[in-house]
Amino acid sequence: PDAAYFAATQVSRQRARDEAMEVLRAVVESETAVETVKGQALSDITRIALDMEREANIETLITSKGFEQCVAVVNGSNANIIVKSDGLLPNEIAQINEIVYEQAGILPANVKIIEKGT
């Protein structure tokens, strides 16, 4: 059940990203869109790609610290981190916050850590 929850969360995150990228690519390729709008769409595509890279790095590093499951959702200057845990210790919370800050520059105040019990 836990593995299914984490897998479903990752699929949902990817589906939302795919839909956003599709819309942005359509704007970029549009012959009628204003150049400033196209520029903003390109910028958004770049930001989404960067967020995806940061999420992958955060997930890899958090699981390397012994967490069995982790899903990171980065959105600009905010992050939601879902970890499999029955109660995070203060040092584990600090580890997660440090990883998020190192990988994405997001301050702990903007990081929401969600525990998914076993």
Side-chain angles (χ1 to χ4, degrees), residues 3 6 34 73 90 98 105 111 116:
F6 283 92
V34 181
V73 180
E98 184 179 341
V111 176
K116 178 75 174 131

Side-chain angles (χ1 to χ4, degrees), residues 70-86:
C70 173
V71 175
V73 180
V74 173
N75 188 355
S77 61
N78 294 293
N80 291 328
I81 310 297
I82 307 162
V83 292
K84 184 174 179 181
S85 173
D86 286 323

Side-chain angles (χ1 to χ4, degrees), residues 67 85 87-96 115:
F67 291 96
S85 173
L88 290 170
L89 300 172
N91 68 312
E92 292 173 323
I93 293 169
Q95 264 185 339
I96 291 168
E115 297 175 49

Side-chain angles (χ1 to χ4, degrees), residues 3-4 8 10-11 14 28 31 38-39 51-52 54-55 57 60 69 75 84 91 98 114:
Q10 288 175 321
V11 167
Q14 189 58 47
V28 170
E31 292 180 16
K38 286 186 180 187
D51 285 348
M52 291 169 67
R54 289 172 172 164
E55 288 166 350
N57 291 343
T60 299
Q69 299 278 348
N75 188 355
K84 184 174 179 181
N91 68 312
E98 184 179 341
I114 302 154

